[in-house]
PDB file of all heavy atoms in Angstrom:
ATOM      1  N   SER A 125      -3.127  17.862 -21.155  1.00 92.00           N
ATOM      2  CA  SER A 125      -2.355  18.706 -20.279  1.00 92.00           C
ATOM      3  C   SER A 125      -2.270  18.091 -18.892  1.00 92.00           C
ATOM      4  O   SER A 125      -2.959  17.137 -18.570  1.00 92.00           O
ATOM      5  CB  SER A 125      -3.013  20.102 -20.152  1.00 92.00           C
ATOM      6  OG  SER A 125      -4.258  19.978 -19.482  1.00 92.00           O
ATOM      7  N   LEU A 126      -1.337  18.625 -18.070  1.00 93.00           N
ATOM      8  CA  LEU A 126      -1.252  18.161 -16.724  1.00 93.00           C
ATOM      9  C   LEU A 126      -2.562  18.344 -15.942  1.00 93.00           C
ATOM     10  O   LEU A 126      -2.951  17.509 -15.131  1.00 93.00           O
ATOM     11  CB  LEU A 126      -0.125  18.881 -15.972  1.00 93.00           C
ATOM     12  CG  LEU A 126       0.232  18.377 -14.548  1.00 93.00           C
ATOM     13  CD1 LEU A 126       0.552  16.908 -14.540  1.00 93.00           C
ATOM     14  CD2 LEU A 126       1.390  19.200 -13.997  1.00 93.00           C
ATOM     15  N   ASP A 127      -3.279  19.419 -16.245  1.00 94.00           N
ATOM     16  CA  ASP A 127      -4.589  19.705 -15.622  1.00 94.00           C
ATOM     17  C   ASP A 127      -5.599  18.583 -16.021  1.00 94.00           C
ATOM     18  O   ASP A 127      -6.428  18.125 -15.191  1.00 94.00           O
ATOM     19  CB  ASP A 127      -5.109  21.052 -16.020  1.00 94.00           C
ATOM     20  CG  ASP A 127      -4.405  22.158 -15.354  1.00 94.00           C
ATOM     21  OD1 ASP A 127      -3.868  21.967 -14.226  1.00 94.00           O
ATOM     22  OD2 ASP A 127      -4.287  23.273 -15.934  1.00 94.00           O
ATOM     23  N   ASP A 128      -5.531  18.118 -17.251  1.00 93.00           N
ATOM     24  CA  ASP A 128      -6.419  17.036 -17.703  1.00 93.00           C
ATOM     25  C   ASP A 128      -6.158  15.735 -16.912  1.00 93.00           C
ATOM     26  O   ASP A 128      -7.081  15.102 -16.439  1.00 93.00           O
ATOM     27  CB  ASP A 128      -6.211  16.775 -19.203  1.00 93.00           C
ATOM     28  CG  ASP A 128      -6.645  17.903 -20.051  1.00 93.00           C
ATOM     29  OD1 ASP A 128      -7.552  18.694 -19.665  1.00 93.00           O
ATOM     30  OD2 ASP A 128      -6.078  18.058 -21.161  1.00 93.00           O
ATOM     31  N   VAL A 129      -4.882  15.408 -16.770  1.00 93.00           N
ATOM     32  CA  VAL A 129      -4.526  14.220 -16.013  1.00 93.00           C
ATOM     33  C   VAL A 129      -4.919  14.331 -14.536  1.00 93.00           C
ATOM     34  O   VAL A 129      -5.395  13.423 -13.940  1.00 93.00           O
ATOM     35  CB  VAL A 129      -3.000  13.908 -16.148  1.00 93.00           C
ATOM     36  CG1 VAL A 129      -2.610  12.674 -15.319  1.00 93.00           C
ATOM     37  CG2 VAL A 129      -2.638  13.702 -17.623  1.00 93.00           C
ATOM     38  N   PHE A 130      -4.723  15.534 -14.007  1.00 94.00           N
ATOM     39  CA  PHE A 130      -5.010  15.748 -12.587  1.00 94.00           C
ATOM     40  C   PHE A 130      -6.529  15.657 -12.331  1.00 94.00           C
ATOM     41  O   PHE A 130      -6.973  15.150 -11.305  1.00 94.00           O
ATOM     42  CB  PHE A 130      -4.509  17.097 -12.092  1.00 94.00           C
ATOM     43  CG  PHE A 130      -4.676  17.312 -10.621  1.00 94.00           C
ATOM     44  CD1 PHE A 130      -3.877  16.637  -9.707  1.00 94.00           C
ATOM     45  CD2 PHE A 130      -5.662  18.123 -10.137  1.00 94.00           C
ATOM     46  CE1 PHE A 130      -4.053  16.775  -8.370  1.00 94.00           C
ATOM     47  CE2 PHE A 130      -5.821  18.335  -8.792  1.00 94.00           C
ATOM     48  CZ  PHE A 130      -5.043  17.660  -7.865  1.00 94.00           C
ATOM     49  N   TYR A 131      -7.335  16.128 -13.293  1.00 93.00           N
ATOM     50  CA  TYR A 131      -8.787  15.992 -13.166  1.00 93.00           C
ATOM     51  C   TYR A 131      -9.173  14.531 -13.066  1.00 93.00           C
ATOM     52  O   TYR A 131     -10.006  14.143 -12.197  1.00 93.00           O
ATOM     53  CB  TYR A 131      -9.521  16.675 -14.328  1.00 93.00           C
ATOM     54  CG  TYR A 131     -10.972  16.374 -14.359  1.00 93.00           C
ATOM     55  CD1 TYR A 131     -11.855  17.016 -13.508  1.00 93.00           C
ATOM     56  CD2 TYR A 131     -11.485  15.389 -15.231  1.00 93.00           C
ATOM     57  CE1 TYR A 131     -13.213  16.710 -13.501  1.00 93.00           C
ATOM     58  CE2 TYR A 131     -12.827  15.110 -15.230  1.00 93.00           C
ATOM     59  CZ  TYR A 131     -13.719  15.778 -14.390  1.00 93.00           C
ATOM     60  OH  TYR A 131     -15.048  15.470 -14.408  1.00 93.00           O
ATOM     61  N   ARG A 132      -8.563  13.706 -13.886  1.00 92.00           N
ATOM     62  CA  ARG A 132      -8.794  12.250 -13.838  1.00 92.00           C
ATOM     63  C   ARG A 132      -8.304  11.664 -12.540  1.00 92.00           C
ATOM     64  O   ARG A 132      -8.864  10.720 -11.982  1.00 92.00           O
ATOM     65  CB  ARG A 132      -8.162  11.553 -14.992  1.00 92.00           C
ATOM     66  CG  ARG A 132      -8.719  11.934 -16.369  1.00 92.00           C
ATOM     67  CD  ARG A 132      -8.586  10.850 -17.376  1.00 92.00           C
ATOM     68  NE  ARG A 132      -7.278  10.298 -17.489  1.00 92.00           N
ATOM     69  CZ  ARG A 132      -6.283  10.766 -18.255  1.00 92.00           C
ATOM     70  NH1 ARG A 132      -6.555  11.847 -19.023  1.00 92.00           N
ATOM     71  NH2 ARG A 132      -5.108  10.216 -18.270  1.00 92.00           N
ATOM     72  N   ALA A 133      -7.218  12.253 -11.980  1.00 93.00           N
ATOM     73  CA  ALA A 133      -6.688  11.779 -10.695  1.00 93.00           C
ATOM     74  C   ALA A 133      -7.716  12.034  -9.552  1.00 93.00           C
ATOM     75  O   ALA A 133      -7.911  11.169  -8.684  1.00 93.00           O
ATOM     76  CB  ALA A 133      -5.362  12.419 -10.404  1.00 93.00           C
ATOM     77  N   THR A 134      -8.309  13.233  -9.531  1.00 93.00           N
ATOM     78  CA  THR A 134      -9.294  13.559  -8.494  1.00 93.00           C
ATOM     79  C   THR A 134     -10.553  12.648  -8.645  1.00 93.00           C
ATOM     80  O   THR A 134     -11.117  12.209  -7.642  1.00 93.00           O
ATOM     81  CB  THR A 134      -9.718  15.011  -8.534  1.00 93.00           C
ATOM     82  OG1 THR A 134     -10.222  15.338  -9.871  1.00 93.00           O
ATOM     83  CG2 THR A 134      -8.521  15.905  -8.239  1.00 93.00           C
ATOM     84  N   ARG A 135     -10.915  12.391  -9.862  1.00 92.00           N
ATOM     85  CA  ARG A 135     -12.039  11.465 -10.117  1.00 92.00           C
ATOM     86  C   ARG A 135     -11.705  10.048  -9.644  1.00 92.00           C
ATOM     87  O   ARG A 135     -12.528   9.385  -9.054  1.00 92.00           O
ATOM     88  CB  ARG A 135     -12.399  11.471 -11.632  1.00 92.00           C
ATOM     89  CG  ARG A 135     -13.560  10.601 -11.984  1.00 92.00           C
ATOM     90  CD  ARG A 135     -13.849  10.654 -13.480  1.00 92.00           C
ATOM     91  NE  ARG A 135     -14.869   9.723 -13.898  1.00 92.00           N
ATOM     92  CZ  ARG A 135     -16.149   9.956 -13.834  1.00 92.00           C
ATOM     93  NH1 ARG A 135     -16.608  11.112 -13.383  1.00 92.00           N
ATOM     94  NH2 ARG A 135     -17.047   9.027 -14.209  1.00 92.00           N
ATOM     95  N   ALA A 136     -10.478   9.613  -9.916  1.00 92.00           N
ATOM     96  CA  ALA A 136     -10.051   8.315  -9.468  1.00 92.00           C
ATOM     97  C   ALA A 136     -10.050   8.205  -7.957  1.00 92.00           C
ATOM     98  O   ALA A 136     -10.429   7.189  -7.371  1.00 92.00           O
ATOM     99  CB  ALA A 136      -8.648   7.983 -10.019  1.00 92.00           C
ATOM    100  N   ALA A 137      -9.618   9.273  -7.274  1.00 92.00           N
ATOM    101  CA  ALA A 137      -9.575   9.303  -5.813  1.00 92.00           C
ATOM    102  C   ALA A 137     -10.990   9.147  -5.270  1.00 92.00           C
ATOM    103  O   ALA A 137     -11.229   8.401  -4.287  1.00 92.00           O
ATOM    104  CB  ALA A 137      -8.957  10.570  -5.320  1.00 92.00           C
ATOM    105  N   ARG A 138     -11.965   9.894  -5.836  1.00 92.00           N
ATOM    106  CA  ARG A 138     -13.351   9.826  -5.359  1.00 92.00           C
ATOM    107  C   ARG A 138     -13.923   8.434  -5.574  1.00 92.00           C
ATOM    108  O   ARG A 138     -14.588   7.861  -4.746  1.00 92.00           O
ATOM    109  CB  ARG A 138     -14.180  10.842  -6.038  1.00 92.00           C
ATOM    110  CG  ARG A 138     -13.963  12.265  -5.608  1.00 92.00           C
ATOM    111  CD  ARG A 138     -15.052  13.198  -6.067  1.00 92.00           C
ATOM    112  NE  ARG A 138     -15.244  13.182  -7.514  1.00 92.00           N
ATOM    113  CZ  ARG A 138     -14.639  13.952  -8.353  1.00 92.00           C
ATOM    114  NH1 ARG A 138     -13.786  14.859  -7.922  1.00 92.00           N
ATOM    115  NH2 ARG A 138     -14.885  13.903  -9.649  1.00 92.00           N
ATOM    116  N   THR A 139     -13.620   7.886  -6.764  1.00 92.00           N
ATOM    117  CA  THR A 139     -14.109   6.567  -7.109  1.00 92.00           C
ATOM    118  C   THR A 139     -13.587   5.499  -6.129  1.00 92.00           C
ATOM    119  O   THR A 139     -14.291   4.625  -5.616  1.00 92.00           O
ATOM    120  CB  THR A 139     -13.739   6.173  -8.566  1.00 92.00           C
ATOM    121  OG1 THR A 139     -14.340   7.150  -9.435  1.00 92.00           O
ATOM    122  CG2 THR A 139     -14.235   4.791  -8.881  1.00 92.00           C
TER     123      THR A 139
END
Side-chain angles (χ1 to χ4, degrees):
S125 67
L126 186 56
D127 287 330
D128 294 332
V129 178
F130 186 73
Y131 171 78
R132 297 207 309 273
T134 56
R135 181 179 174 85
R138 287 196 303 271
T139 300

